[in-house]
């Protein structure tokens, strides 16, 4: 069941108002009750204090007549006691000597001695204050203690003073009745005020909700239109508050979505073009490895992105004696992605065209290629190229390097790996004359079991999650351990070791390698 936002807000505000007003009413009533109780307690405490003060004042008067009590002048003391008992709240004043009530004088001489009422406990010597509630309903304060003649510091008698609590309690009860009346009246007034304020708050809340919800409805309608696909629709909310800001943000979001959709379409086109470029680039790589008696060949290629600036190639290069040599190319264009792939394609085309001329040395082929590429190469871009010629009949390789990695040769007889550098600089750097002067051609012989290996620096630069590079030492170790395998298995082993080392870490650079083994 669909519940509108207005209904939800209304119910929530109604509950909130009732809870708040109910809490205020409850707290006010609770504070009134606490105040009433505190006043009663204070009155009770004041009553006890007043009664105790009365009793102590009577003891002070009796102690002032301690000398008369000491010499047995009971008539004087009796007159004082009778005067004190004229107060309506004084119930009893007894002076006891040696267990006998001597004052007030209540029996003729020679008669039975007067005794204390049974409900009065005999004093132990110190001033004592007790509250007594008699069965007939009397509520009394009993104060007992010694009467000391301070002139000689001698205890001459014990006094018992009983004061009624009834007059003061009646006055307190009357005051409490008046206070309860005022509290009840105040509570009724508070309840009425709370009810009126709650009604006003509910009405104001409904008006506020209507005011707030109206622009939200406009925003919701606009969202519905945009959700149906009309990204050109703009929500118009004439409000300078958060709802207005939300509408502006919503319009900005809509424009961003519209722009993102355009960019997504463009990206999809670009992705499709990249797929085509990737397919073209893979088509430019050799479809199969050369088949030469006495040799095995291996190659691997792994792009860091959809397209790559690396490439390798095998060429059939004619010679004057009617036999052909195997041209081997490994190149690395600076940068990755589309610019590198484009430069790779151009380099491949030029080098293939020049290599088809036949008897030219590897150095001459690279000189010609550089002279064509250099004028059109963008500043900062360069190409490192290895180009070699395998003379299978003579088991020899002639090669040149335009700033490329050194050639690695695994010698099966000794298990040693030779690293052979060849003079030269990368294409696209410096003057043509400098390039032509530095480039050189070298020759090496391959014995049975030897492995000729060329690669790009993506192998050494492969990095694991700890930012540790695979490096040349690991490459040499893998080449040495797999030297007994055929060329393609060697390449596959190296690629697997690099993949295991990076453990899923994104590739840092393109990886290309070529291996030739004489069997």
């Amino acid at each position: 069941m669909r519940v509108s936002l207005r209904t939800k807000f209304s119910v929530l505000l109604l509950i909130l108002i009732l809870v708040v007003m109910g809490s205020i009413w409850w707290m006010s009533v609770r504070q009134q009750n606490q105040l009433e109780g505190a006043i009663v307690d204070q009155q009770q405490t004041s009553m006890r204090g007043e009664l105790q003060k009365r009793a102590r004042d009577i003891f002070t008067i009796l102690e002032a007549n301690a000398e008369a009590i000491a010499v047995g002048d009971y008539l004087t003391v009796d007159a004082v006691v009778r005067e004190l008992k004229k107060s309506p709240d004084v119930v009893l004043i007894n002076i006891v000597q040696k267990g006998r009530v001597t004052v007030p004088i209540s029996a003729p001489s020679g008669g039975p001695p007067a005794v204390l009422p049974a409900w009065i406990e005999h004093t132990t010597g110190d001033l004592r204050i007790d509250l007594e509630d008699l069965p007939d309903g009397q509520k009394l304060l009993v104060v007992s203690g010694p009467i000391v003649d301070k002139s000689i510091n001698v205890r001459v008698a014990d006094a018992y003073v009983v004061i009624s609590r009834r007059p003061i309690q009646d006055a307190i009860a009357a005051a409490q009745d008046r206070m309860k009346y005022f509290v009840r009246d105040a509570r009724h007034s508070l309840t009425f005020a709370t009810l009126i304020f709650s009604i006003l708050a509910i009405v104001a809340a409904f008006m506020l909700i209507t005011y707030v919800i109206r622009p939200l409805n406009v925003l919701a309608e606009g969202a519905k239109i945009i959700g149906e696909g009309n990204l050109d629709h703009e929500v118009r909310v004439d409000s300078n508050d958060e709802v207005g800001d939300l509408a502006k943000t919503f319009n900005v979001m809509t424009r961003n979505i519209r722009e993102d959709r355009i960019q997504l379409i463009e990206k999809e086109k670009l992705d499709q073009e990249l797929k085509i470029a990737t397919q073209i680039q893979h088509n430019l790589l050799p479809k199969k490895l050369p088949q030469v008696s006495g040799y095995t060949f291996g190659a691997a290629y792994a792009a860091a992105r959809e397209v790559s600036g690396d490439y390798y190639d095998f060429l059939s290069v004619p010679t004057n004696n009617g036999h052909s040599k195997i041209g081997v190319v490994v190149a690395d264009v600076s940068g990755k992605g589309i610019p590198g792939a484009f430069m790779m394609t151009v380099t491949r085309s030029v080098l293939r065209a020049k290599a088809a001329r036949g008897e030219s040395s590897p150095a001459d082929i690279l000189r010609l290629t550089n002279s064509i590429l250099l004028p059109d190469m963008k500043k900062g871009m360069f190409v490192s190229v290895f180009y070699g010629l395998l003379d299978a009949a003579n088991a020899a390789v002639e090669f040149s390097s335009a700033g490329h990695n050194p050639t690695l040769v695994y010698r099966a007889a000794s298990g040693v790996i030779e690293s052979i550098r060849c003079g030269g600089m990368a294409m696209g750097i410096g003057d043509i004359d400098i390039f032509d002067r530095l480039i050189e051609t070298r020759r090496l012989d391959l014995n049975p079991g030897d492995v000729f290996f060329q690669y790009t620096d993506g192998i050494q630069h492969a990095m694991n999650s700890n930012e540790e590079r695979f490096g040349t030492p690991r490459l040499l170790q893998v080449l040495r351990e797999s030297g007994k395998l055929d060329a393609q298995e060697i390449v596959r082993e190296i690629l697997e070791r690099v993949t295991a080392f990076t453990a899923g870490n994104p590739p840092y650079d393109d990886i290309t390698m070529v291996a030739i083994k004489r069997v």
Side-chain angles (χ1 to χ4, degrees), residues 51-63:
L51 292 176
Q52 291 172 9
K53 182 177 181 300
R54 288 287 308 280
R56 287 191 179 94
D57 289 344
I58 294 173
F59 262 82
T60 301
I61 294 173
L62 294 177
E63 285 186 339

Side-chain angles (χ1 to χ4, degrees), residues 182-240:
F182 289 122
V183 168
R184 187 165 51 251
D185 185 65
R187 190 171 297 171
H188 290 163
S189 299
L190 176 63
T191 302
F192 180 75
T194 302
L195 181 60
I196 294 299
F197 186 80
S198 298
I199 293 173
L200 293 176
I202 291 171
V203 173
F206 276 109
M207 295 176 63
L208 178 62
I209 289 171
T210 301
Y211 176 77
V212 172
I213 292 297
R214 184 181 296 114
L216 288 177
N217 289 334
V218 175
L219 189 61
E221 185 63 26
K224 181 179 180 181
I225 294 173
I226 293 171
E228 292 173 351
N230 185 6
L231 295 179
D232 294 322
H233 178 74
E234 185 171 331
V235 179
R236 297 187 180 276
V237 175
D238 296 329
S239 177
N240 294 323

Side-chain angles (χ1 to χ4, degrees), residues 238-254:
D238 296 329
S239 177
N240 294 323
D241 54 15
E242 287 80 359
V243 179
D245 294 339
L246 179 60
K248 293 177 183 177
T249 303
F250 194 83
N251 290 331
V252 172
M253 181 187 69
T254 303

Side-chain angles (χ1 to χ4, degrees), residues 51 54-55 58 81-82 84-94 104 117 119-120 132 134 136 138-143 160-167:
L51 292 176
R54 288 287 308 280
I58 294 173
V81 169
R82 291 181 185 280
L84 291 173
K85 288 186 63 178
K86 290 180 180 180
S87 177
D89 58 342
V90 177
V91 176
L92 180 146
I93 299 177
N94 282 358
W119 43 266
I120 296 179
E132 291 288 344
L134 299 184
D136 60 0
Q138 293 188 71
K139 297 182 180 295
L140 306 175
L141 175 74
V142 181
V143 182
Y160 296 85
V161 179
V162 179
I163 299 175
S164 175
R165 291 180 282 160
R166 178 72 64 184

Side-chain angles (χ1 to χ4, degrees), residues 289 296-301 312 314 451-455 459 475 478-479 482 485-498 511-516:
L289 298 173
T296 62
F297 293 81
Y301 164 85
Y312 73 92
F314 293 108
V451 178
F452 174 92
F453 186 79
Q454 249 302 332
Y455 57 98
I459 297 178
L475 172 61
V478 179
L479 183 59
S482 59
L485 305 175
D486 67 28
Q488 187 58 40
E489 290 175 342
I490 291 173
V491 168
R492 185 182 299 111
E493 179 67 19
I494 293 173
L495 189 60
E496 288 177 356
R497 293 283 189 95
V498 172
I511 294 178
T512 302
M513 54 185 133
V514 169
I516 302 174

Side-chain angles (χ1 to χ4, degrees), residues 38-78:
I39 292 174
V40 172
D41 292 341
Q42 181 64 34
Q43 289 174 339
Q44 296 286 351
T45 303
S46 299
M47 177 196 73
R48 293 193 195 97
E50 181 64 26
L51 292 176
Q52 291 172 9
K53 182 177 181 300
R54 288 287 308 280
R56 287 191 179 94
D57 289 344
I58 294 173
F59 262 82
T60 301
I61 294 173
L62 294 177
E63 285 186 339
N65 293 273
E67 186 176 350
I69 297 172
V71 298
D73 186 4
Y74 300 128
L75 291 175
T76 301
V77 179
D78 185 75

